[in-house]
Amino acid sequence: METWLNFFTEHGGMFLAMLGIAIAVTFSGMGSARGVGETGAAASALLKDQPDKFANALILVLLPGTQGLYGFVIAFMIYIQMSPDMSLEQGLAYLAAGIPVGLVGLISAKYQGRVATSGMQILAKRPENVTNAIVLSVMVETYAILGLLMSLFMWLTANGM
């Protein structure tokens, strides 16, 4: 027991920072994978009959993938600040910074995928209105950006900026 306590006292900050990285990347990546997968399946169904709509379908498929990128950006920012001697408080601050982008990314990518998947119907029936489908999907992106900004502000605060 004392060995574990000594380890956590000496390296707990780095452990907590790694946990923040894991939360940021894992949850936002899971949401993006789900959203892109769902929309990609709908795009594949559309493109078998209408292959000329590939470019617009691709835009809709890519939109839910941005949340995973946001999680990666925050994770990388945490990673470059990590050191073996960081304090528990610093590690806890980095853990907290990874949570908003990870959790908001998980949920927003899931719902953005649903909206983008529905947008495939607009693309199929009224391709001249595909911009409407893109705008509707981007509206969900707003919340992913808010999660990214909150994580960024928390990271800046953790670094005394």
Side-chain angles (χ1 to χ4, degrees), residues 70-81:
Y70 299 158
F72 178 78
V73 166
I74 293 299
F76 184 74
M77 292 171 68
I78 294 169
Y79 175 76
I80 61 175
Q81 295 296 320

Side-chain angles (χ1 to χ4, degrees), residues 60-133:
L60 289 168
V61 170
L62 291 175
L63 284 172
T66 56
Q67 285 85 336
L69 294 174
Y70 299 158
F72 178 78
V73 166
I74 293 299
F76 184 74
M77 292 171 68
I78 294 169
Y79 175 76
I80 61 175
Q81 295 296 320
M82 284 180 19
S83 68
D85 61 340
M86 78 173 33
S87 68
L88 281 170
E89 292 83 9
Q90 186 75 36
L92 188 58
Y94 288 139
L95 168 61
I99 293 172
V101 75
L103 294 183
V104 174
L106 172 68
I107 301 301
S108 67
K110 173 185 169 185
Y111 288 105
Q112 190 173 34
R114 286 185 184 177
V115 174
T117 298
S118 296
M120 291 295 168
Q121 295 175 17
I122 294 173
L123 180 57
K125 306 262 184 191
R126 299 194 184 275
E128 67 276 6
N129 293 335
V130 72
T131 305
N132 295 345

Side-chain angles (χ1 to χ4, degrees), residues 10-11 23 29 42 50-52 64 69 74 76 79 104 116 141 148:
E10 292 177 28
H11 304 290
I23 288 170
Q50 301 177 37
D52 57 311
L69 294 174
I74 293 299
F76 184 74
Y79 175 76
V104 174
E141 183 83 18
L148 171 67

